[in-house]
Amino acid sequence: MKTSKNSENEHVNLEQGILYGVLKQIRANEDQISEKPTLVSVWYCDINPKDTQKIVALIRDHLTDPDPVSLTHIKRFMKVNECIRSILCSLEYIDEGKLINLIHEHCPGVEIRSVGLIEVPRYAPQTKDITQAWSSKYWPLAWKGNPNHQFLNTVEFDISREEEIVSTLLDELEQCIKKSKDSSDCSGVSATLIAENINDSIKLKTIHANTGSKTPYDHSVMKAISSIANNELHRRKHSSQEDGEGYLCHNMIVYTTHEPCVMCCMALVHSRIGRLVYLQGTPPTGGLESNYQLGDRDGLNWKFQIWKWIGQNEVHRLESLVGKESKAINY
Ligand SMILES: [Zn+2]
């Protein structure tokens, strides 16, 4: 998935948050938006105002990419007493020793009066009012219009590849139902596939089904996460390369037939996945559209994209396998 400023936007329905007529964005409503932001630690330095341009160049040339935390909604400079305080980059990106070395190497002669950490909102605020409130409470933020509209206009999917993957997911579910002893009881039956975007191409990593066990650890999402975790730990143990990411499903893509339960959603948050796609909502117990909007909640330490697949072919196929409405149990 990439973003592009010049995308054709015929496939975007901003009003309803639908792309290509098949992917519906699931996110907190305006009135569910928290006034309390998720915070992230960032490095600042205090400098003499005359050195501002040198710090601008340092940020532009050495500290922007690939900072894992996007700071485009953060204003970089603020006057503090006689100094200019500048936000440099996130703590996740670089430690203090490396930062000091970079400053000395690329900004010789700049008088650094102090370097330290402060907490700022990790994600762009959703409204202008919240932007103002957070700006006075934490740090000046930039309001550039509805960030979600910008996101919908620029996010890109290889939609035929997405269709293929959803079909693979449904194939797996169908096979498991055929194999299971009691194929008439479909309550709790689900399948989950985890994939990874490597060089703009989506590669399947694992696929698991639950044929109806009520044990939470048998939920297909939990089985798929465990499988990735086990493989990844094994790989890292036998690989001489250091791996920078501590999170085992970092930025992976999860496709699942049903809206996951609260426990599975929290496991997805803690695994730091990048995106989730599911087909059928599971009221009243699901952890996304049914309750809590886990994965799109300010105040938790991670957010991921949530999409509901509403393409009619796939939705009807799933309904023919497991019925139209989920039973009131956890998936
Ligand atoms: Zn679950």
Side-chain angles (χ1 to χ4, degrees):
M1 189 173 37
K2 350 171 237 195
T3 56
S4 152
K5 284 210 169 91
N6 303 315
S7 59
E8 289 289 328
N9 289 334
E10 285 167 11
H11 65 277
V12 181
N13 180 333
L14 283 181
E15 190 91 338
Q16 298 181 39
I18 296 174
L19 301 183
Y20 301 96
V22 296
L23 278 170
K24 179 172 172 54
Q25 187 186 33
I26 301 295
R27 58 195 295 268
N29 298 325
E30 289 267 325
D31 57 356
Q32 293 174 312
I33 292 172
S34 169
E35 305 264 323
K36 189 168 158 271
T38 300
L39 297 174
V40 65
S41 292
V42 295
W43 292 109
Y44 72 85
C45 69
D46 288 343
I47 52 165
N48 187 317
K50 74 177 168 53
D51 291 326
T52 305
Q53 283 314 312
K54 290 178 184 157
I55 295 298
V56 169
L58 174 75
I59 293 170
R60 184 191 60 219
D61 297 338
H62 301 286
L63 291 174
T64 304
D65 201 34
D67 193 329
V69 179
S70 167
L71 298 176
T72 52
H73 58 293
I74 306 279
K75 289 189 179 170
R76 290 287 184 160
F77 297 96
M78 178 166 79
K79 199 161 185 300
V80 177
N81 302 324
E82 298 305 304
C83 295
I84 294 291
R85 176 162 293 180
S86 169
I87 302 294
L88 299 173
C89 58
S90 75
L91 172 62
E92 287 177 32
Y93 177 48
I94 201 168
D95 65 31
E96 185 168 15
K98 284 183 188 153
L99 179 65
I100 301 279
N101 285 344
L102 266 181
I103 295 172
H104 284 156
E105 187 181 343
H106 298 289
C107 301
V110 171
E111 180 197 340
I112 303 289
R113 296 183 180 168
S114 64
V115 172
L117 286 170
I118 54 168
E119 290 193 311
V120 299
R122 180 175 188 127
Y123 302 102
Q126 297 295 319
T127 69
K128 203 171 179 179
D129 286 347
I130 295 178
T131 305
Q132 283 167 354
W134 290 359
S135 291
S136 45
K137 189 162 182 195
Y138 300 98
W139 177 268
L141 304 177
W143 172 252
K144 299 171 184 170
N146 187 323
N148 192 52
H149 286 183
Q150 292 171 26
F151 166 73
L152 289 170
N153 271 322
T154 52
V155 67
E156 281 184 5
F157 286 94
D158 177 346
I159 206 67
S160 54
R161 179 67 179 138
E162 297 289 322
E163 268 169 21
E164 263 173 41
I165 295 174
V166 173
S167 293
T168 305
L169 178 71
L170 294 173
D171 291 345
E172 175 73 13
L173 185 74
E174 186 168 359
Q175 279 179 18
C176 286
I177 290 174
K178 278 184 186 156
K179 272 190 250 163
S180 75
K181 290 182 193 101
D182 180 9
S183 56
S184 62
D185 177 15
C186 288
S187 62
V189 175
S190 71
T192 296
L193 182 159
I194 298 186
E196 192 169 22
N197 191 341
I198 300 170
N199 301 327
D200 280 333
S201 160
I202 298 182
K203 303 266 190 292
L204 273 47
K205 304 270 293 185
T206 193
I207 185 163
H208 288 268
N210 174 16
T211 49
S213 161
K214 308 290 188 280
T215 310
Y217 286 100
D218 287 336
H219 290 180
S220 61
V221 169
M222 293 304 283
K223 283 161 90 170
I225 291 176
S226 304
S227 155
I228 295 283
N230 290 338
N231 288 343
E232 195 59 17
L233 286 173
H234 181 81
R235 188 186 68 77
R236 290 184 191 183
K237 212 167 148 186
H238 294 89
S239 157
S240 53
Q241 278 184 317
E242 278 291 311
D243 214 310
E245 301 297 349
Y247 300 95
L248 297 169
C249 300
H250 191 253
N251 279 338
M252 288 188 187
I253 311 169
V254 178
Y255 301 83
T256 187
T257 52
H258 292 77
E259 179 188 1
C261 72
V262 171
M263 181 193 74
C264 287
C265 288
M266 286 309 294
L268 293 168
V269 171
H270 292 311
S271 306
R272 302 208 163 193
I273 67 158
R275 166 158 76 88
L276 177 81
V277 178
Y278 69 95
L279 283 86
Q280 197 172 82
T282 60
T285 54
L288 306 171
E289 63 176 300
S290 302
N291 292 288
Y292 308 123
Q293 297 287 357
L294 299 169
D296 181 34
R297 246 186 116 90
D298 286 311
L300 292 182
N301 61 359
W302 185 252
K303 285 188 180 188
F304 53 83
Q305 293 177 33
I306 307 167
W307 299 93
K308 185 173 186 175
W309 187 270
I310 56 171
Q312 288 305 295
N313 292 343
E314 294 78 14
V315 168
H316 288 153
R317 188 174 166 205
L318 177 62
E319 287 173 358
S320 74
L321 292 170
V322 298
K324 228 181 167 97
E325 279 168 28
S326 71
K327 322 293 179 288
I329 62 155
N330 288 313
Y331 281 83

